[in-house]
């Protein structure tokens, strides 16, 4: 079966459902460090966390989609020798320029890693990169934490 290609639409904000608008507001609070957590953000805009997680990777302000050059990715990884090295190699092969890396001390065989990267030189689209990273055996989770102009 052929893989379904993502399609994007430009939609006026006045026709967006309230849940998508509130998701955008919560994301902005998080990106601007106005709240400490997703829980705080959704509480402030009166949105459920499940709705936030449903829409957070699907709805973006137009300015972010036009100017996007930097993204921050969050990984939950199995603690094995060479996992971070392999992950970084995949990002480098895609043309992404790694700006920062933060890794927690592994607990119970798992570690959290946050990577910020400049996407302006990438020859692979973000979704393809995420799919490749998610397919790795030792990757439990990959999320986009933020994207900035």
């Amino acid at each position: 079966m052929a893989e379904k290609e993502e399609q994007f639409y430009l939609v006026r904000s006045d026709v967006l459902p309230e849940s998508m608008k509130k998701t955008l507001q919560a994301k902005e609070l998080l990106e601007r460090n106005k709240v400490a957590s997703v829980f705080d953000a959704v509480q402030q805009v009166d949105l459920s966390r499940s709705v936030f997680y449903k829409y957070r990777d699907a709805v973006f302000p137009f300015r972010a989609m036009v100017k996007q050059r930097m993204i921050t990715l969050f990984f939950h990884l199995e603690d094995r020798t060479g996992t971070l090295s392999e992950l970084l190699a995949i990002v480098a092969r895609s043309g992404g320029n790694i700006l920062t890396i933060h890794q927690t001390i592994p607990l119970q065989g798992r570690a959290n890693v946050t990577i910020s990267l400049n996407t302006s030189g990438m020859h692979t689209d973000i979704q393809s990169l995420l799919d490749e990273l998610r397919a790795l055996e030792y990757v439990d989770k990959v999320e986009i934490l933020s994207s900035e102009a």
Side-chain angles (χ1 to χ4, degrees), residues 3 11 28 77 79 81-84 91 110 112 115 126 128 130 139:
E3 198 171 304
V11 180
E28 184 172 352
L77 306 173
D79 182 32
T81 302
T83 56
L84 183 58
V91 172
R110 301 279 186 266
N112 294 327
I115 298 173
I126 299 295
S128 297
L130 292 174
V139 173

Side-chain angles (χ1 to χ4, degrees), residues 22-38:
K22 288 182 177 186
T23 299
L24 286 166
Q25 291 170 348
K27 286 174 60 170
E28 184 172 352
L29 289 171
L30 288 162
E31 288 173 9
R32 296 179 63 212
N33 294 317
K34 298 293 184 185
V35 291
S37 67
V38 169

Side-chain angles (χ1 to χ4, degrees), residues 50-100:
S50 63
V51 170
F52 173 80
Y53 285 116
K54 177 180 180 179
Y55 292 124
R56 74 171 176 178
D57 293 330
V59 60
F60 304 94
F62 179 67
R63 64 174 159 60
M65 295 305 291
V66 172
K67 297 180 181 178
Q68 183 174 333
R69 293 287 178 253
M70 189 180 91
I71 63 170
T72 302
L73 301 176
F74 169 83
F75 299 88
H76 190 68
L77 306 173
E78 188 175 326
D79 182 32
R80 288 192 209 169
T81 302
T83 56
L84 183 58
S85 176
E86 185 177 348
L87 190 130
L88 297 176
I90 290 169
V91 172
R93 279 196 306 270
S94 75
N97 180 25
I98 297 169
L99 303 171
T100 65

Side-chain angles (χ1 to χ4, degrees), residues 2-15:
E3 198 171 304
K4 187 177 177 182
E5 184 177 318
E6 285 186 330
Q7 293 183 354
F8 294 89
Y9 300 93
L10 183 61
V11 180
R12 276 192 345 257
S13 64
D14 63 320
V15 297

